[in-house]
């Protein structure tokens, strides 16, 4: 009754809709730990669809923490009437499966068989987040995961585990990845997942480790390209300073192109162009610069044109050729690139 009164007061006293929905979901989640059915049925009867979905998610997850079996049974009973947002997708099944994993790992994995193949990967990734910091549960999770025949599902679970582990304890994640015996290319997949997550915390340490773990015949620029590009979007000055201290062998077309493309997607067109100009292969350079120009032009035509006019004549010619190569002679499809007098 106290939770219901608090929720009713929230409707009256909180004007900001986003804040109200967030607090509402938290309150219903707390209520659901004590009275799961009452909380989710209250949420189910909310009038606004957005509020209802958020409140239902909060209620079901709160209920699942105390009684995952009951929460799952209620959801299965009512799932046909739940539509909109995330409630009508396999995401809710995955979240409930993950909650069950903390109480009964074998039962949680058995429940995977009820999910579509496309949903099983997400479910095991969510399960990995629940068990990652408990060594006993982690071992139990890995043992159960090893019994799954689908390699893609196993990979999703392992990548989820390694990524979350790297965010909490990168040294522990490194020990795990380096001590396991991996099949086929799984070890390389795990190293990439670890480095990708670790880059969000300590990019310099992540890249140094990634280089140290690379094989002697690997393209070292390609090995760190994705993580370096990720760092460039976060702190370009620090990333550039790190690269300047590295051997020349690291400065490859793979690194320059990956960095340029990541910056372009983030809307840093001027910086993306600087990195694209360093690509040695003329075809790749022209293609990358053409993508930057047209992406930039669609968002800020004047700035894109100023950049084009500032290029050296050979680069302008290269960009024109690349445009002609992709669009042919169709005067409608080809964006006209002209230098203004």
């Amino acid at each position: 009754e106290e939770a219901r009164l608090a929720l009713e007061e929230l409707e009256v006293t909180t004007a900001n809709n986003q804040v109200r929905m967030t607090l509402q979901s938290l309150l219903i989640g707390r209520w659901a730990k004590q009275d799961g059915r009452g909380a989710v049925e209250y949420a189910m009867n909310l009038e606004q669809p957005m509020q209802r979905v958020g409140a239902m998610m909060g209620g079901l997850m709160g209920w699942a923490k105390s009684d995952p079996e009951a929460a799952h049974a209620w959801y299965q009973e009512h799932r046909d009437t739940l539509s909109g947002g995330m409630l009508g997708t396999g995401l809710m099944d995955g979240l409930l499966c993950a909650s069950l994993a903390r109480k009964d790992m074998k039962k949680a994995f058995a429940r995977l068989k009820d999910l579509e193949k496309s949903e099983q990967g997400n479910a095991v990734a969510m399960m990995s987040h629940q068990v990652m910091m408990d060594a006993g549960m982690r071992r139990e999770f890995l043992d159960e995961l090893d019994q799954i025949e689908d390699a893609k599902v196993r990979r999703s679970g392992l990548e989820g585990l390694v990524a979350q582990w790297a965010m909490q304890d990168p040294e522990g994640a490194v020990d795990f990845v380096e001590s396991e015996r991996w099949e086929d290319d799984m070890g390389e997949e795990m190293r990439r997942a670890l480095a990708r997550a670790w880059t969000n915390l300590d990019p310099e340490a992540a890249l140094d480790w990634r280089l140290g773990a690379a094989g002697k015949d690997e393209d070292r620029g390609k090995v760190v390209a994705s993580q370096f590009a990720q760092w460039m979007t976060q702190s370009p000055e620090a990333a550039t300073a790190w690269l300047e201290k590295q051997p020349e062998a690291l400065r490859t077309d793979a690194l320059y192109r990956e960095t340029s493309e990541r910056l372009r997607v983030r809307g840093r067109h001027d910086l993306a162009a600087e990195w694209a100009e360093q690509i040695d292969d003329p075809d790749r350079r022209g293609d990358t610069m053409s993508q930057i120009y047209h992406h930039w032009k669609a968002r800020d035509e004047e700035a894109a044109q100023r950049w084009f006019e500032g290029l050296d004549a050979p680069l302008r010619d290269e960009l024109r050729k690349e445009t002609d190569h992709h669009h042919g002679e169709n005067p409608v499809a080809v964006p006209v690139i002209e230098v203004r007098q």
Side-chain angles (χ1 to χ4, degrees):
E1 187 60 32
E2 290 180 4
R4 189 186 299 272
L5 290 173
L7 287 162
E8 290 174 355
E9 184 177 353
L10 184 66
E11 286 289 332
V12 176
T13 59
T14 308
N16 185 293
N17 192 48
Q18 187 62 46
V19 172
R20 184 169 62 251
M21 287 195 297
T22 301
L23 292 174
Q24 191 176 56
S25 178
L26 290 171
L27 282 170
I28 288 175
R30 290 179 183 176
W31 178 8
K33 291 179 184 178
Q34 305 299 321
D35 176 15
R37 184 175 296 276
V40 296
E41 289 183 354
Y42 173 91
M44 195 175 182
N45 289 315
L46 290 171
E47 292 183 6
Q48 294 186 21
M50 287 292 290
Q51 279 187 310
R52 184 166 59 250
V53 170
M56 287 291 298
M57 289 283 290
L60 283 167
M61 293 315 300
W63 192 0
K65 287 179 180 178
S66 59
D67 191 345
E69 292 278 40
H72 179 262
W74 187 95
Y75 177 66
Q76 293 302 318
E77 181 183 348
H78 294 86
R79 66 181 304 153
D80 291 341
T81 64
L82 301 173
S83 60
M86 294 178 284
L87 291 174
T89 69
L91 175 63
M92 198 68 237
D93 287 294
L95 289 168
L96 291 170
C97 210
S99 292
L100 179 59
R102 291 194 63 83
K103 293 184 177 291
D104 191 328
M105 189 72 69
K106 287 187 178 298
K107 190 172 286 186
F109 269 88
R111 189 172 290 169
L112 287 176
K113 297 174 184 176
D114 298 332
L115 304 182
E116 297 291 334
K117 282 288 185 183
S118 59
E119 297 168 353
Q120 290 180 8
N122 288 332
V124 293
M126 293 175 200
M127 289 163 66
S128 73
H129 301 171
Q130 293 287 321
V131 307
M132 180 267 302
M133 292 306 293
D134 184 302
M137 294 182 69
R138 191 167 63 232
R139 188 68 260 167
E140 189 180 2
F141 170 80
L142 289 168
D143 289 343
E144 292 293 333
L145 189 65
D146 194 47
Q147 304 304 311
I148 293 180
E149 294 182 3
D150 193 308
K152 289 183 179 179
V153 175
R154 290 201 308 275
R155 180 179 281 110
S156 294
L158 287 166
E159 286 183 346
L161 179 71
V162 167
Q164 285 295 311
W165 202 343
M167 294 290 285
Q168 302 291 329
D169 175 19
E171 288 79 12
V174 167
D175 288 343
F176 169 73
V177 167
E178 292 183 341
S179 64
E180 290 289 311
R181 292 185 176 181
W182 303 105
E183 296 179 358
D184 301 325
D185 63 344
M186 190 72 84
E188 180 60 22
E189 293 284 343
M190 294 307 106
R191 284 188 284 274
R192 279 201 289 264
L194 195 164
R196 189 163 53 242
W198 195 359
T199 299
N200 290 317
L201 292 178
D202 188 342
E204 185 168 354
L207 267 70
D208 287 343
W209 170 77
R210 190 73 179 89
L211 283 173
K216 63 179 182 179
D217 296 327
E218 287 189 82
D219 180 334
R220 302 178 78 75
K222 186 176 181 180
V223 164
V224 297
S226 179
Q227 281 69 60
F228 179 79
Q230 181 181 340
W231 190 7
M232 277 293 297
T233 65
Q234 299 164 354
S235 180
E237 295 82 6
T240 302
W242 176 85
L243 184 62
E244 288 173 352
K245 295 184 292 185
Q246 304 305 314
E248 189 67 29
L250 212 63
R251 297 169 176 80
T252 66
D253 280 5
L255 183 138
Y256 291 138
R257 190 172 191 188
E258 178 77 26
T259 301
S260 178
E261 291 183 349
R262 190 77 65 95
L263 289 166
R264 173 181 63 81
V265 170
R266 291 295 185 93
R268 297 293 305 274
H269 299 98
D270 53 343
L271 197 54
E274 290 179 19
W275 286 85
E277 287 179 33
Q278 299 180 72
I279 297 172
D280 283 333
D281 184 281
D283 291 335
R284 289 184 178 275
R285 183 174 60 243
D287 178 63
T288 304
M289 292 183 70
S290 177
Q291 289 181 40
I292 292 168
Y293 175 75
H294 296 299
H295 191 267
W296 196 351
K297 188 176 181 182
R299 287 150 183 80
D300 187 342
E301 185 172 359
E302 187 174 341
Q305 187 66 26
R306 282 199 306 270
W307 167 75
F308 176 77
E309 291 172 3
L311 293 175
D312 292 338
L315 281 175
R316 288 202 303 268
D317 291 342
E318 196 173 285
L319 190 50
R320 286 195 183 96
K321 289 178 182 177
E322 190 62 35
T323 299
D324 291 342
H325 172 72
H326 281 293
H327 297 286
E329 300 301 325
N330 184 342
V332 177
V334 179
V336 178
I337 301 175
E338 296 180 346
V339 179
R340 296 171 185 161
Q341 301 301 320

